[in-house]
Amino acid sequence: MARRKTDIPFGQDPATRLLPWIVAVMVYIAGLAIAGAFVLAAFADRWEAGLAGALTVQIPPPADEALAAASRDQTVAEVLNAVRSTQGVASAEALASEEMRRLLEPWLGKTVDPRDLPLPTLISVELQDGRHAGNIDMADMRRRIQAHAPTAVIDDHGQWQARLVSFLGALRLVAAVLVSIVALAGLIMVVFGTRSGLLAHRSTIELLHLFGAQDNYIARQFQREALKAGLKGGIIGVAATAATVVGLGHGAASAGTTLPGTAVLEVTDWVILGVLPLATAAIAALAARWTVLRALARMV
Amino acid sequence: MIRFENVGMRYGTGPEVLRDVSFELPQGSFHFLTGTSGAGKSSLMRLMYLAHRPSRGLISIFERDLSTIPRADLPALRRKIGVVFQDFRLLNHLTTFENVALPLKVKGASEGMIRKHVGELLAWVGLSDQMHAHPATLSGGQQQRAAIARAVVTRPQLLLADEPTGNVDDAYAVRLLFLLQELHRQGTTVVIATHNHALIERFKHPVLHLDDGILMRVGEDPIYDG
Ligand SMILES: Nc1ncnc2c1ncn2[C@@H]1O[C@H](COP(=O)(O)OP(=O)(O)O)[C@@H](O)[C@H]1O
Ligand SMILES: [Mg+2]
Protein backbone atom coordinates (compact mmCIF):
# COMPACT_ATOMS: atom_id res chain seq x y z
CA MET A 1 0.00 0.00 0.00
CA ALA A 2 1.51 3.29 -1.11
CA ARG A 3 1.72 5.90 1.60
CA ARG A 4 -0.07 9.03 0.56
CA LYS A 5 2.45 11.81 0.35
CA THR A 6 1.76 15.02 2.22
CA ASP A 7 2.99 18.41 1.02
CA ILE A 8 4.60 18.86 4.40
CA PRO A 9 7.31 16.25 5.11
CA PHE A 10 6.05 15.16 8.54
CA GLY A 11 7.86 11.84 8.43
CA GLN A 12 11.17 13.65 8.72
CA ASP A 13 10.83 15.16 12.18
CA PRO A 14 11.44 13.03 15.27
CA ALA A 15 8.63 14.70 17.24
CA THR A 16 6.07 13.41 14.75
CA ARG A 17 7.50 9.92 14.75
CA LEU A 18 7.52 9.80 18.54
CA LEU A 19 4.00 11.15 19.03
CA PRO A 20 2.09 7.87 18.48
CA TRP A 21 4.20 6.19 21.16
CA ILE A 22 3.66 8.98 23.65
CA VAL A 23 -0.05 8.77 22.92
CA ALA A 24 0.12 4.97 23.35
CA VAL A 25 1.63 5.28 26.84
CA MET A 26 -0.98 7.84 27.86
CA VAL A 27 -3.85 5.77 26.48
CA TYR A 28 -2.43 2.74 28.29
CA ILE A 29 -2.45 4.59 31.62
CA ALA A 30 -5.91 6.01 31.00
CA GLY A 31 -7.13 2.61 29.81
CA LEU A 32 -5.89 0.92 32.99
CA ALA A 33 -7.56 3.58 35.13
CA ILE A 34 -10.82 3.12 33.23
CA ALA A 35 -10.61 -0.68 33.41
CA GLY A 36 -9.84 -0.36 37.13
CA ALA A 37 -12.87 1.85 37.61
CA PHE A 38 -15.03 -0.73 35.81
CA VAL A 39 -13.73 -3.53 38.04
CA LEU A 40 -14.34 -1.41 41.16
CA ALA A 41 -17.84 -0.69 39.90
CA ALA A 42 -18.47 -4.43 39.54
CA PHE A 43 -17.23 -5.04 43.09
CA ALA A 44 -19.30 -2.20 44.46
CA ASP A 45 -22.43 -3.48 42.70
CA ARG A 46 -21.98 -6.95 44.09
CA TRP A 47 -21.37 -5.77 47.63
CA GLU A 48 -24.19 -3.32 47.43
CA ALA A 49 -26.53 -6.10 46.30
CA GLY A 50 -25.37 -8.20 49.26
CA LEU A 51 -26.02 -5.46 51.75
CA ALA A 52 -28.80 -6.35 54.18
CA GLY A 53 -31.97 -4.47 53.61
CA ALA A 54 -32.67 -4.78 57.31
CA LEU A 55 -31.63 -3.35 60.67
CA THR A 56 -32.17 -4.30 64.27
CA VAL A 57 -32.85 -1.84 67.04
CA GLN A 58 -32.05 -2.96 70.58
CA ILE A 59 -33.71 -1.27 73.48
CA PRO A 60 -31.82 -2.26 76.64
CA PRO A 61 -33.84 -3.19 79.68
CA PRO A 62 -34.34 -0.34 82.12
CA ALA A 63 -31.80 -0.30 84.92
CA ASP A 64 -34.65 0.16 87.36
CA GLU A 65 -36.23 -3.29 87.67
CA ALA A 66 -39.26 -1.79 89.26
CA LEU A 67 -40.18 0.05 86.14
CA ALA A 68 -43.45 -1.28 85.00
CA ALA A 69 -43.71 -3.45 81.96
CA ALA A 70 -46.33 -0.96 80.80
CA SER A 71 -43.86 1.86 80.62
CA ARG A 72 -41.54 -0.37 78.68
CA ASP A 73 -44.28 -1.25 76.20
CA GLN A 74 -44.95 2.47 75.84
CA THR A 75 -41.30 3.14 74.97
CA VAL A 76 -41.26 0.32 72.43
CA ALA A 77 -44.41 1.64 70.80
CA GLU A 78 -42.90 5.13 70.55
CA VAL A 79 -39.68 3.79 69.08
CA LEU A 80 -41.66 1.73 66.57
CA ASN A 81 -43.52 4.86 65.48
CA ALA A 82 -40.28 6.78 65.21
CA VAL A 83 -38.63 4.07 63.11
CA ARG A 84 -41.63 3.61 60.83
CA SER A 85 -41.71 7.32 60.05
CA THR A 86 -38.05 7.31 59.00
CA GLN A 87 -37.42 7.71 55.24
CA GLY A 88 -36.65 4.38 53.54
CA VAL A 89 -38.18 2.12 56.15
CA ALA A 90 -40.68 -0.45 54.87
CA SER A 91 -41.75 -1.96 58.17
CA ALA A 92 -40.68 -2.35 61.77
CA GLU A 93 -41.85 -4.99 64.26
CA ALA A 94 -40.90 -5.69 67.82
CA LEU A 95 -39.89 -9.28 68.40
CA ALA A 96 -42.87 -10.81 70.21
CA SER A 97 -42.16 -12.48 73.53
CA GLU A 98 -43.36 -15.77 71.99
CA GLU A 99 -40.63 -15.50 69.44
CA MET A 100 -38.13 -14.40 72.03
CA ARG A 101 -38.95 -17.38 74.15
CA ARG A 102 -38.47 -19.70 71.17
CA LEU A 103 -35.06 -18.17 70.48
CA LEU A 104 -33.91 -18.46 74.06
CA GLU A 105 -35.40 -21.84 74.82
CA PRO A 106 -32.30 -23.85 73.96
CA TRP A 107 -30.44 -21.99 76.69
CA LEU A 108 -33.08 -21.29 79.28
CA GLY A 109 -35.56 -24.08 79.04
CA LYS A 110 -39.35 -23.69 78.88
CA THR A 111 -40.02 -22.49 82.35
CA VAL A 112 -38.66 -18.98 82.19
CA ASP A 113 -40.69 -16.05 80.78
CA PRO A 114 -38.26 -13.74 78.98
CA ARG A 115 -40.25 -10.75 80.16
CA ASP A 116 -39.04 -11.58 83.67
CA LEU A 117 -35.46 -11.39 82.49
CA PRO A 118 -33.50 -8.16 81.96
CA LEU A 119 -33.35 -8.75 78.19
CA PRO A 120 -33.26 -6.02 75.59
CA THR A 121 -36.27 -5.58 73.40
CA LEU A 122 -35.44 -6.20 69.77
CA ILE A 123 -37.10 -4.34 66.92
CA SER A 124 -36.58 -5.78 63.50
CA VAL A 125 -36.60 -3.14 60.76
CA GLU A 126 -37.19 -3.98 57.09
CA LEU A 127 -36.02 -1.35 54.61
CA GLN A 128 -37.62 -0.52 51.30
CA ASP A 129 -36.33 -2.21 48.14
CA GLY A 130 -32.85 -1.07 47.26
CA ARG A 131 -32.30 0.66 50.56
CA HIS A 132 -29.57 -0.36 52.97
CA ALA A 133 -27.63 1.10 55.85
CA GLY A 134 -25.36 2.81 53.34
CA ASN A 135 -28.02 4.87 51.63
CA ILE A 136 -30.55 5.81 54.25
CA ASP A 137 -30.15 8.61 56.76
CA MET A 138 -28.87 6.62 59.73
CA ALA A 139 -28.17 9.70 61.80
CA ASP A 140 -31.77 10.81 61.42
CA MET A 141 -33.07 7.40 62.45
CA ARG A 142 -30.76 7.31 65.46
CA ARG A 143 -31.93 10.77 66.52
CA ARG A 144 -35.58 9.78 66.24
CA ILE A 145 -35.08 6.56 68.20
CA GLN A 146 -32.94 8.04 70.94
CA ALA A 147 -35.49 10.77 71.54
CA HIS A 148 -37.61 8.03 73.09
CA ALA A 149 -35.03 5.51 74.20
CA PRO A 150 -31.70 7.26 74.83
CA THR A 151 -29.83 3.98 75.36
CA ALA A 152 -31.18 2.25 72.26
CA VAL A 153 -28.58 0.76 69.94
CA ILE A 154 -28.96 0.32 66.19
CA ASP A 155 -27.31 -2.75 64.73
CA ASP A 156 -27.10 -2.06 61.03
CA HIS A 157 -25.51 -5.43 60.19
CA GLY A 158 -23.34 -4.63 57.20
CA GLN A 159 -22.54 -0.99 57.65
CA TRP A 160 -18.84 -1.68 57.24
CA GLN A 161 -19.75 -3.02 53.79
CA ALA A 162 -21.61 0.17 53.07
CA ARG A 163 -18.51 2.10 54.03
CA LEU A 164 -16.48 -0.10 51.70
CA VAL A 165 -18.90 0.58 48.88
CA SER A 166 -18.59 4.33 49.36
CA PHE A 167 -14.81 3.95 49.57
CA LEU A 168 -14.87 2.16 46.22
CA GLY A 169 -16.89 5.10 44.94
CA ALA A 170 -14.08 7.41 46.05
CA LEU A 171 -11.52 5.20 44.30
CA ARG A 172 -13.53 5.46 41.11
CA LEU A 173 -13.47 9.21 41.45
CA VAL A 174 -9.67 9.01 41.73
CA ALA A 175 -9.64 6.95 38.52
CA ALA A 176 -11.79 9.57 36.79
CA VAL A 177 -9.45 12.34 37.93
CA LEU A 178 -6.46 10.31 36.71
CA VAL A 179 -8.06 9.85 33.29
CA SER A 180 -8.78 13.58 33.08
CA ILE A 181 -5.20 14.45 33.97
CA VAL A 182 -3.80 12.01 31.41
CA ALA A 183 -6.20 13.36 28.77
CA LEU A 184 -5.14 16.91 29.56
CA ALA A 185 -1.45 15.97 29.40
CA GLY A 186 -2.11 14.25 26.06
CA LEU A 187 -3.87 17.33 24.76
CA ILE A 188 -0.94 19.52 25.76
CA MET A 189 1.45 17.06 24.06
CA VAL A 190 -0.53 17.29 20.83
CA VAL A 191 -0.67 21.09 20.97
CA PHE A 192 3.08 21.38 21.59
CA GLY A 193 3.89 18.69 19.04
CA THR A 194 1.83 20.58 16.48
CA ARG A 195 3.52 23.85 17.38
CA SER A 196 6.95 22.34 16.95
CA GLY A 197 5.77 20.90 13.62
CA LEU A 198 4.61 24.35 12.55
CA LEU A 199 8.03 25.72 13.41
CA ALA A 200 9.93 22.90 11.73
CA HIS A 201 7.91 23.23 8.52
CA ARG A 202 7.66 26.99 8.56
CA SER A 203 9.18 27.51 5.15
CA THR A 204 7.06 24.82 3.49
CA ILE A 205 3.97 26.39 5.05
CA GLU A 206 5.01 29.80 3.76
CA LEU A 207 5.49 28.28 0.32
CA LEU A 208 2.01 26.76 0.37
CA HIS A 209 0.59 30.12 1.45
CA LEU A 210 2.38 31.81 -1.45
CA PHE A 211 0.79 29.31 -3.84
CA GLY A 212 -2.51 30.57 -2.48
CA ALA A 213 -3.25 27.81 0.01
CA GLN A 214 -6.04 28.55 2.48
CA ASP A 215 -5.25 28.06 6.17
CA ASN A 216 -7.73 25.22 6.08
CA TYR A 217 -5.67 23.37 3.46
CA ILE A 218 -2.62 23.50 5.70
CA ALA A 219 -4.57 22.74 8.88
CA ARG A 220 -6.03 19.64 7.21
CA GLN A 221 -2.55 18.17 6.75
CA PHE A 222 -1.63 18.64 10.41
CA GLN A 223 -5.05 17.37 11.41
CA ARG A 224 -4.64 14.21 9.36
CA GLU A 225 -1.21 13.66 10.88
CA ALA A 226 -2.57 14.04 14.43
CA LEU A 227 -5.47 11.74 13.57
CA LYS A 228 -3.06 9.05 12.43
CA ALA A 229 -0.87 9.47 15.52
CA GLY A 230 -3.93 9.39 17.80
CA LEU A 231 -5.36 6.31 16.13
CA LYS A 232 -2.06 4.42 16.07
CA GLY A 233 -1.19 5.37 19.65
CA GLY A 234 -4.74 4.71 20.79
CA ILE A 235 -4.85 1.23 19.30
CA ILE A 236 -1.46 0.28 20.73
CA GLY A 237 -2.40 1.71 24.15
CA VAL A 238 -5.76 -0.04 24.32
CA ALA A 239 -4.26 -3.32 23.10
CA ALA A 240 -1.73 -3.10 25.94
CA THR A 241 -4.55 -2.31 28.39
CA ALA A 242 -6.57 -5.30 27.18
CA ALA A 243 -3.55 -7.60 27.48
CA THR A 244 -2.92 -6.38 31.03
CA VAL A 245 -6.55 -6.77 32.09
CA VAL A 246 -6.85 -10.26 30.63
CA GLY A 247 -3.49 -11.24 32.14
CA LEU A 248 -4.50 -9.97 35.59
CA GLY A 249 -7.85 -11.75 35.30
CA HIS A 250 -6.15 -15.07 34.57
CA GLY A 251 -3.66 -14.48 37.36
CA ALA A 252 -6.43 -13.81 39.84
CA ALA A 253 -8.38 -16.85 38.69
CA SER A 254 -5.42 -19.20 39.05
CA ALA A 255 -4.65 -17.76 42.48
CA GLY A 256 -8.20 -18.74 43.43
CA THR A 257 -9.17 -15.21 44.27
CA THR A 258 -12.86 -14.55 44.11
CA LEU A 259 -12.64 -11.65 41.74
CA PRO A 260 -16.03 -11.06 40.22
CA GLY A 261 -15.57 -13.38 37.26
CA THR A 262 -12.36 -14.08 35.38
CA ALA A 263 -13.48 -12.01 32.42
CA VAL A 264 -13.34 -9.11 34.92
CA LEU A 265 -14.83 -6.66 32.43
CA GLU A 266 -18.26 -6.81 30.92
CA VAL A 267 -19.02 -6.49 27.22
CA THR A 268 -20.08 -2.85 27.51
CA ASP A 269 -16.81 -2.09 29.33
CA TRP A 270 -14.85 -3.61 26.45
CA VAL A 271 -16.87 -1.59 23.94
CA ILE A 272 -16.04 1.62 25.82
CA LEU A 273 -12.34 0.69 25.85
CA GLY A 274 -12.60 -0.09 22.13
CA VAL A 275 -13.94 3.39 21.44
CA LEU A 276 -10.99 4.95 23.28
CA PRO A 277 -8.61 5.05 20.23
CA LEU A 278 -11.31 6.69 18.12
CA ALA A 279 -11.97 9.30 20.79
CA THR A 280 -8.22 9.86 21.18
CA ALA A 281 -7.77 10.31 17.42
CA ALA A 282 -10.70 12.72 17.17
CA ILE A 283 -9.51 14.82 20.09
CA ALA A 284 -5.92 14.89 18.77
CA ALA A 285 -7.11 15.95 15.31
CA LEU A 286 -9.26 18.75 16.72
CA ALA A 287 -6.46 19.95 18.99
CA ALA A 288 -4.02 20.02 16.05
CA ARG A 289 -6.49 21.85 13.84
CA TRP A 290 -7.20 24.45 16.50
CA THR A 291 -3.46 24.98 17.12
CA VAL A 292 -2.63 25.38 13.42
CA LEU A 293 -5.50 27.73 12.62
CA ARG A 294 -4.63 29.91 15.59
CA ALA A 295 -0.94 30.06 14.61
CA LEU A 296 -1.59 30.66 10.90
CA ALA A 297 -3.96 33.53 11.62
CA ARG A 298 -0.94 35.39 12.95
CA MET A 299 1.10 34.81 9.77
CA VAL A 300 1.20 37.17 6.79
CA MET B 1 -1.45 45.80 -12.52
CA ILE B 2 0.99 46.83 -9.79
CA ARG B 3 1.41 50.28 -8.26
CA PHE B 4 3.85 51.30 -5.50
CA GLU B 5 3.66 54.73 -3.85
CA ASN B 6 6.39 55.80 -1.43
CA VAL B 7 6.77 52.26 -0.19
CA GLY B 8 9.15 51.49 2.65
CA MET B 9 10.00 48.02 3.94
CA ARG B 10 11.93 46.65 6.87
CA TYR B 11 12.53 43.20 8.32
CA GLY B 12 11.27 43.17 11.89
CA THR B 13 12.73 46.14 13.70
CA GLY B 14 15.72 46.40 11.36
CA PRO B 15 16.56 49.35 9.12
CA GLU B 16 14.51 50.08 6.03
CA VAL B 17 15.81 47.95 3.16
CA LEU B 18 13.49 49.72 0.69
CA ARG B 19 12.82 53.45 0.87
CA ASP B 20 10.29 55.63 -0.96
CA VAL B 21 9.83 53.16 -3.78
CA SER B 22 7.29 54.36 -6.35
CA PHE B 23 6.55 52.80 -9.72
CA GLU B 24 3.77 51.37 -11.80
CA LEU B 25 3.72 48.22 -13.93
CA PRO B 26 1.05 48.11 -16.60
CA GLN B 27 -0.66 44.87 -17.44
CA GLY B 28 1.21 42.86 -20.05
CA SER B 29 4.54 44.60 -19.40
CA PHE B 30 7.97 42.98 -19.14
CA HIS B 31 10.55 44.50 -16.81
CA PHE B 32 14.01 43.73 -15.60
CA LEU B 33 14.85 44.56 -12.01
CA THR B 34 18.55 45.22 -11.47
CA GLY B 35 20.81 46.31 -8.68
CA THR B 36 23.86 45.05 -6.85
CA SER B 37 23.62 42.23 -4.38
CA GLY B 38 21.88 43.46 -1.25
CA ALA B 39 20.23 46.38 -3.05
CA GLY B 40 16.78 44.99 -2.20
CA LYS B 41 15.66 43.14 -5.34
CA SER B 42 14.43 40.06 -3.50
CA SER B 43 12.79 42.24 -0.87
CA LEU B 44 10.87 44.15 -3.54
CA MET B 45 9.86 40.82 -5.05
CA ARG B 46 8.62 39.64 -1.65
CA LEU B 47 6.35 42.67 -1.45
CA MET B 48 5.03 41.95 -4.93
CA TYR B 49 4.26 38.31 -4.26
CA LEU B 50 2.54 39.20 -1.01
CA ALA B 51 4.99 37.45 1.31
CA HIS B 52 5.61 40.62 3.26
CA ARG B 53 3.71 43.75 4.17
CA PRO B 54 5.25 47.18 3.59
CA SER B 55 6.16 49.22 6.65
CA ARG B 56 4.80 52.30 4.95
CA GLY B 57 3.44 53.54 1.64
CA LEU B 58 0.77 52.22 -0.64
CA ILE B 59 0.77 49.07 -2.73
CA SER B 60 -2.03 48.21 -5.05
CA ILE B 61 -2.09 44.96 -6.93
CA PHE B 62 -4.72 43.72 -9.39
CA GLU B 63 -6.40 47.09 -8.75
CA ARG B 64 -6.74 46.35 -5.03
CA ASP B 65 -5.21 48.35 -2.20
CA LEU B 66 -3.11 45.89 -0.21
CA SER B 67 -3.66 47.65 3.11
CA THR B 68 -7.41 47.09 2.95
CA ILE B 69 -7.35 43.48 1.74
CA PRO B 70 -8.55 41.08 4.45
CA ARG B 71 -6.31 38.09 5.12
CA ALA B 72 -8.97 35.74 3.81
CA ASP B 73 -8.74 37.34 0.35
CA LEU B 74 -4.97 36.90 -0.01
CA PRO B 75 -5.06 33.30 -1.33
CA ALA B 76 -7.19 34.32 -4.31
CA LEU B 77 -4.71 37.09 -5.22
CA ARG B 78 -1.68 34.88 -4.68
CA ARG B 79 -3.10 32.31 -7.08
CA LYS B 80 -2.79 34.90 -9.86
CA ILE B 81 0.92 35.29 -9.17
CA GLY B 82 3.65 32.83 -10.23
CA VAL B 83 7.02 33.05 -8.51
CA VAL B 84 10.44 31.66 -9.38
CA PHE B 85 12.33 31.95 -6.11
CA GLN B 86 16.02 32.81 -6.05
CA ASP B 87 16.71 29.54 -4.24
CA PHE B 88 13.96 27.64 -6.16
CA ARG B 89 12.34 26.33 -2.95
CA LEU B 90 11.56 22.93 -4.45
CA LEU B 91 10.41 20.37 -1.87
CA ASN B 92 12.90 17.54 -1.63
CA HIS B 93 10.50 14.86 -0.42
CA LEU B 94 8.39 15.28 -3.55
CA THR B 95 9.22 14.31 -7.15
CA THR B 96 9.62 16.88 -9.90
CA PHE B 97 6.10 16.09 -11.06
CA GLU B 98 4.65 16.53 -7.55
CA ASN B 99 6.55 19.79 -7.06
CA VAL B 100 5.21 21.26 -10.27
CA ALA B 101 1.73 19.97 -9.43
CA LEU B 102 1.65 21.59 -5.98
CA PRO B 103 0.13 24.99 -6.90
CA LEU B 104 -2.63 23.19 -8.84
CA LYS B 105 -3.25 20.84 -5.92
CA VAL B 106 -3.50 23.82 -3.56
CA LYS B 107 -6.13 25.30 -5.91
CA GLY B 108 -8.08 22.06 -5.68
CA ALA B 109 -7.57 21.05 -9.34
CA SER B 110 -8.67 17.54 -10.33
CA GLU B 111 -6.18 14.68 -10.79
CA GLY B 112 -6.83 14.67 -14.54
CA MET B 113 -6.30 18.40 -14.83
CA ILE B 114 -3.09 18.14 -12.84
CA ARG B 115 -1.74 15.31 -15.01
CA LYS B 116 -2.51 17.20 -18.21
CA HIS B 117 -1.08 20.58 -17.22
CA VAL B 118 1.97 19.30 -15.39
CA GLY B 119 2.77 16.91 -18.24
CA GLU B 120 2.53 19.75 -20.75
CA LEU B 121 4.73 22.08 -18.74
CA LEU B 122 7.38 19.49 -18.00
CA ALA B 123 7.56 18.83 -21.75
CA TRP B 124 7.78 22.59 -22.40
CA VAL B 125 10.78 23.01 -20.07
CA GLY B 126 12.29 19.73 -21.27
CA LEU B 127 11.98 17.77 -18.02
CA SER B 128 9.58 15.02 -19.09
CA ASP B 129 12.18 12.35 -18.49
CA GLN B 130 12.86 13.66 -14.97
CA MET B 131 9.31 13.82 -13.68
CA HIS B 132 9.81 11.02 -11.15
CA ALA B 133 13.22 12.24 -10.02
CA HIS B 134 13.62 14.12 -6.77
CA PRO B 135 14.94 17.70 -6.96
CA ALA B 136 18.15 16.81 -5.11
CA THR B 137 19.16 14.55 -8.01
CA LEU B 138 18.59 17.27 -10.63
CA SER B 139 21.28 19.64 -11.95
CA GLY B 140 21.05 23.35 -11.11
CA GLY B 141 19.65 24.13 -14.55
CA GLN B 142 17.06 21.36 -14.30
CA GLN B 143 15.97 22.59 -10.86
CA GLN B 144 15.61 26.07 -12.31
CA ARG B 145 13.39 24.80 -15.11
CA ALA B 146 11.31 22.79 -12.63
CA ALA B 147 10.90 25.99 -10.59
CA ILE B 148 9.82 27.88 -13.70
CA ALA B 149 7.36 25.14 -14.66
CA ARG B 150 5.89 25.27 -11.15
CA ALA B 151 5.63 29.08 -11.29
CA VAL B 152 3.59 29.07 -14.49
CA VAL B 153 1.56 25.86 -14.11
CA THR B 154 -1.48 27.82 -12.92
CA ARG B 155 -1.23 30.27 -15.89
CA PRO B 156 -0.61 33.25 -13.59
CA GLN B 157 -1.33 36.80 -14.69
CA LEU B 158 1.86 38.01 -13.05
CA LEU B 159 5.19 36.17 -13.17
CA LEU B 160 7.98 37.19 -10.82
CA ALA B 161 11.37 35.55 -11.33
CA ASP B 162 14.13 36.27 -8.83
CA GLU B 163 17.51 35.84 -10.56
CA PRO B 164 16.40 32.87 -12.64
CA THR B 165 19.63 33.06 -14.61
CA GLY B 166 21.81 33.36 -11.56
CA ASN B 167 23.61 30.06 -11.79
CA VAL B 168 23.47 29.03 -15.42
CA ASP B 169 25.75 29.92 -18.33
CA ASP B 170 24.86 32.67 -20.76
CA ALA B 171 23.62 30.41 -23.56
CA TYR B 172 21.33 28.72 -21.09
CA ALA B 173 20.17 32.07 -19.70
CA VAL B 174 19.15 33.15 -23.17
CA ARG B 175 17.11 29.98 -23.61
CA LEU B 176 15.35 30.63 -20.29
CA LEU B 177 14.57 34.17 -21.36
CA PHE B 178 12.98 32.88 -24.54
CA LEU B 179 10.77 30.64 -22.41
CA LEU B 180 9.69 33.62 -20.32
CA GLN B 181 9.15 35.78 -23.40
CA GLU B 182 6.80 33.14 -24.71
CA LEU B 183 4.69 33.49 -21.57
CA HIS B 184 4.81 37.26 -21.91
CA ARG B 185 3.51 36.95 -25.47
CA GLN B 186 0.56 35.01 -24.09
CA GLY B 187 -0.32 38.01 -21.91
CA THR B 188 1.55 37.41 -18.67
CA THR B 189 3.03 40.43 -16.91
CA VAL B 190 6.67 39.60 -16.17
CA VAL B 191 9.29 40.97 -13.78
CA ILE B 192 12.77 39.41 -13.79
CA ALA B 193 15.37 40.32 -11.21
CA THR B 194 18.82 39.90 -12.66
CA HIS B 195 22.21 41.50 -12.80
CA ASN B 196 23.07 39.86 -16.07
CA HIS B 197 23.70 42.93 -18.24
CA ALA B 198 24.21 40.89 -21.40
CA LEU B 199 20.60 39.72 -21.09
CA ILE B 200 19.29 43.21 -20.45
CA GLU B 201 21.17 44.48 -23.51
CA ARG B 202 19.92 41.68 -25.66
CA PHE B 203 16.23 41.68 -24.75
CA LYS B 204 15.81 45.44 -24.37
CA HIS B 205 12.98 45.45 -21.84
CA PRO B 206 12.54 48.44 -19.53
CA VAL B 207 14.65 48.33 -16.39
CA LEU B 208 13.90 49.08 -12.76
CA HIS B 209 17.15 49.79 -10.97
CA LEU B 210 17.57 49.52 -7.22
CA ASP B 211 20.44 51.18 -5.42
CA ASP B 212 20.63 50.48 -1.72
CA GLY B 213 16.87 50.32 -1.27
CA ILE B 214 16.07 53.28 -3.50
CA LEU B 215 14.55 52.89 -6.96
CA MET B 216 16.86 54.92 -9.19
CA ARG B 217 15.63 54.61 -12.72
CA VAL B 218 12.68 53.31 -14.60
CA GLY B 219 13.17 52.46 -18.26
CA GLU B 220 11.55 55.23 -20.29
CA ASP B 221 11.14 53.56 -23.62
CA PRO B 222 9.49 50.20 -23.07
CA ILE B 223 9.85 47.85 -25.99
CA TYR B 224 6.96 45.46 -26.03
CA ASP B 225 6.76 42.43 -28.18
CA GLY B 226 3.91 41.77 -30.53
N1 LIG C 1 15.02 37.82 6.06
C1 LIG C 1 15.75 38.93 6.23
N2 LIG C 1 15.89 39.45 7.47
C2 LIG C 1 16.60 40.57 7.66
N3 LIG C 1 17.22 41.25 6.68
C3 LIG C 1 17.13 40.77 5.43
C4 LIG C 1 16.38 39.60 5.13
N4 LIG C 1 16.47 39.37 3.80
C5 LIG C 1 17.23 40.36 3.29
N5 LIG C 1 17.64 41.21 4.25
C6 LIG C 1 18.44 42.42 4.06
O1 LIG C 1 17.75 43.26 3.19
C7 LIG C 1 18.64 43.90 2.32
C8 LIG C 1 18.21 43.61 0.88
O2 LIG C 1 18.36 42.22 0.61
P1 LIG C 1 17.75 41.54 -0.67
O3 LIG C 1 16.38 42.04 -0.87
O4 LIG C 1 17.94 40.08 -0.54
O5 LIG C 1 18.70 42.12 -1.81
P2 LIG C 1 19.06 41.49 -3.22
O6 LIG C 1 18.03 40.48 -3.57
O7 LIG C 1 19.07 42.66 -4.14
O8 LIG C 1 20.41 40.89 -3.10
C9 LIG C 1 20.01 43.36 2.63
O9 LIG C 1 20.68 44.30 3.45
C10 LIG C 1 19.75 42.09 3.41
O10 LIG C 1 20.75 41.88 4.38
MG1 LIG D 1 18.11 38.50 -4.05
Side-chain angles (χ1 to χ4, degrees), chain B residues 42 86 162-163:
Chain B
S42 297
Q86 189 166 3
D162 197 351
E163 307 208 25

Side-chain angles (χ1 to χ4, degrees), chain A residues 55-59 76 79-80 92-95 121-125:
Chain A
L55 307 169
T56 309
V57 178
Q58 288 181 33
I59 304 172
V76 170
V79 169
L80 275 175
E93 299 298 334
L95 231 55
T121 307
L122 297 181
I123 294 173
S124 152
V125 183

Side-chain angles (χ1 to χ4, degrees), chain A residues 4-10 12 202-204 206-215 217 221 293 296-300, chain B residues 46 49-53 71-72 74-76 78-79 81 85 89 91 93-95 98-99 102-103 105-107 134 150:
Chain A
R4 218 184 130 199
K5 257 193 231 174
T6 51
D7 303 342
I8 300 167
F10 289 109
Q12 289 170 9
R202 210 187 163 81
S203 97
T204 306
E206 192 204 29
L207 192 66
L208 292 173
H209 267 153
L210 294 181
F211 292 156
Q214 310 269 9
D215 290 349
Y217 178 91
Q221 309 209 10
L293 288 180
L296 292 187
R298 286 195 296 264
M299 283 179 80
V300 183
Chain B
R46 282 183 69 79
Y49 57 70
L50 310 181
H52 211 106
R53 296 223 182 228
R71 202 180 117 70
L74 288 177
R78 284 166 172 157
R79 286 173 192 188
I81 305 171
F85 300 97
R89 300 185 70 169
L91 300 179
H93 69 291
L94 301 179
T95 64
E98 290 162 341
N99 266 289
L102 205 47
K105 198 179 153 207
V106 161
K107 268 176 79 171
H134 284 257
R150 187 183 62 184

